[in-house]
Amino acid sequence: MNINIDKCKKPWNDLIITPEGYCINCHFQDTKHCIGNINEDNIQHIWNGKELKDNRKKMLNGKIPDICKTGIGKCEYLK
């Protein structure tokens, strides 16, 4: 299973913050596997942090980041 990187740009463009402060890149993702929490860290560190950089790198290599796997069956970019 691969991700269609040509369509999904969320790790480079989107940051969703839930009312509880959890940061995710996509509304299909589970907050249990969030990339950070603004109540515990600043938004610049979350956006430029290891978790999101690793996710971007995986996507550039055609792999599905673990956080995206919570959207399988829902996300149109996961094949």
Side-chain angles (χ1 to χ4, degrees), residues 14-75:
D14 295 358
L15 186 65
I16 300 167
I17 302 171
T18 70
E20 297 84 13
Y22 295 108
C23 298
I24 55 176
N25 274 134
C26 174
H27 61 276
F28 292 129
Q29 294 172 342
D30 188 333
T31 57
K32 294 177 189 173
H33 304 98
C34 67
I35 56 175
N37 188 302
I38 60 167
N39 296 316
E40 300 168 5
D41 205 351
N42 70 55
I43 200 163
Q44 290 85 8
H45 185 259
I46 293 168
W47 185 252
N48 297 309
K50 182 180 178 350
E51 180 83 27
L52 194 48
K53 283 183 180 181
D54 287 348
N55 289 345
R56 291 174 183 140
K57 186 176 180 179
K58 283 181 182 179
M59 288 181 74
L60 288 172
N61 289 317
K63 306 255 192 259
I64 300 173
D66 290 340
I67 195 169
C68 293
K69 292 177 182 176
T70 63
I72 291 176
K74 303 172 196 168
C75 177

